Amino acid sequence: MTELSNWIRLTCTNGIGCEAARKLLLAFGLPQQIFSATYNDLKQVVTERQAQALCLPLSETTQHLIEQTERWCDQPNNHFITLADPNYPTNLLEIPDPPTVLYVKGRLDLLSAASVAVVGSRNATEQGMKNARQFSASLSHGGITIISGMALGIDTAAHEGALAGFGATVAVIGTGADKVYPARNHELAHQIAAQGCIVSEYALGTPPIASNFPRRNRLISGLAQGVLVIEAAAQSGSLITARMAAEQGRDVFAIPGSIHSPLAKGCHQLIKQGAKLVETAQDILQELRLDHIAPNPSIAPTPSAARAAAETVDTIVSTDDDSLLAHMGYDPVHSDELALRSHLTSSVLSEKLLLLELEGLVEIMPGGLYRRLN
């Protein structure tokens, strides 16, 4: 069997997780030595059930996965990285539970680049999305790689903003590297693979499984020097990433929001617990001492990609009442600013605001300001 075959066989053996795999590798060496060991030797390192599983013959399912992975690796810019590989990112070797293998699609060098993770709510407000794009674009223009999870909301906006700069972006996903989830991020995934990279610890073909996504968060924080949280509810999954970041010795940053916004509760909680309040991307660069990083013009985005990212940052197209509430956010906003955000004429905006006021969803304040109430 090839080296790749043995690594995949190890990761696919029933009951052998990352911790057991590391014990075996430490005791026996490379996977081929593990599978050459006797049952009695194996059970000195792992449980009897795990030792028995390692002694079973190669299954048809695993053989099919090996062949599938070999074909995938033959495609340009696809990489299969193991704990024994010199290209394995050193940042992940520092975390308590590094993955045994990584499937990487795109630029391998980004896994060792100066980077900041940007995470937040899937149901972000328009202001949160705007913050994510602007912070990510500013950091990227400073030569910093943006890491996120390609989920809807803040993750998507962070990747889009990063693609407008020099630092590119890394998407750490909870499915196989040959899958795109959510489906609506299909085009974004292609852009990331072309200009940045997509990373997964899960075997090819792995579908979206709920338990995989919180687990992959340790890689989002582990790859980065710091984690920025933009909009998070009190029970948000982004707080899991922030907690893991703190446990890994990474810096945690949070953008404060309105005291009336449920999506600010998580960020405020983090700040109370010691996360650093930030107002600009420069705050992060200075804290991490990354403000000296020089952008590399050779990896600048293509004009079309930069233009598309910029258009994504600036364009707002939805005009229904729910979207108007999203445009408002939770801080008081002037009607003129709201007209710019929503792309509505003054007459249409006034009509919609009146209806929302009558429904008890917004209130008018002195000076032409409006505030969302729900």
Side-chain angles (χ1 to χ4, degrees), residues 91-112:
N91 276 359
L92 290 186
L93 293 175
E94 300 171 356
I95 69 174
D97 192 21
T100 307
V101 301
L102 292 171
Y103 298 80
V104 182
K105 188 175 187 66
R107 289 177 48 197
L108 203 57
D109 62 298
L110 293 178
L111 299 184
S112 301

Side-chain angles (χ1 to χ4, degrees), residues 8 10 60 72 89 113 143 145 151 185 198 223 246 286 329 343:
I8 293 179
L10 178 63
E60 290 185 11
W72 183 82
T145 295
N185 274 349
I198 295 173
L223 283 168
Q286 290 177 347
H343 288 195

Side-chain angles (χ1 to χ4, degrees), residues 142-316:
I144 306 303
T145 295
I146 301 300
I147 300 174
S148 199
M150 210 166 71
L152 299 178
I154 295 299
D155 286 18
T156 293
H159 290 306
E160 290 170 345
L163 288 169
F166 294 100
T169 189
V170 173
V172 183
I173 61 176
T175 65
D178 57 338
K179 300 287 185 181
V180 175
Y181 180 82
R184 72 178 71 176
N185 274 349
H186 189 270
E187 181 59 33
L188 176 63
H190 279 281
Q191 291 181 40
I192 295 173
Q195 294 178 240
C197 75
I198 295 173
V199 183
S200 176
E201 65 178 309
Y202 300 108
L204 297 179
T206 301
I209 300 172
S211 60
N212 286 352
F213 291 90
R215 180 165 173 74
R216 66 89 196 262
N217 289 353
R218 80 192 194 285
L219 306 188
I220 293 176
S221 56
L223 283 168
Q225 277 76 58
V227 174
L228 171 64
V229 182
I230 303 176
E231 290 196 337
Q235 304 299 322
S236 171
S238 300
L239 302 187
I240 298 175
T241 309
R243 174 178 56 79
M244 290 178 171
E247 292 172 352
Q248 294 165 351
R250 309 303 195 247
D251 286 289
V252 179
F253 306 93
I255 296 178
S258 169
I259 60 172
H260 304 290
S261 170
L263 291 178
K265 300 296 184 184
C267 292
H268 292 173
Q269 179 181 325
L270 290 174
I271 292 169
K272 290 175 182 177
Q273 294 170 348
K276 298 172 179 65
L277 185 156
V278 296
E279 297 174 316
T280 68
Q282 192 64 24
D283 293 338
I284 300 171
L285 294 173
Q286 290 177 347
E287 185 67 32
L288 295 177
R289 298 181 181 179
L290 295 175
D291 48 342
H292 65 286
I293 301 292
N296 183 352
S298 68
I299 58 173
T302 62
S304 59
R307 184 168 56 253
E311 289 172 354
T312 304
V313 170
D314 294 333
T315 301
I316 301 166

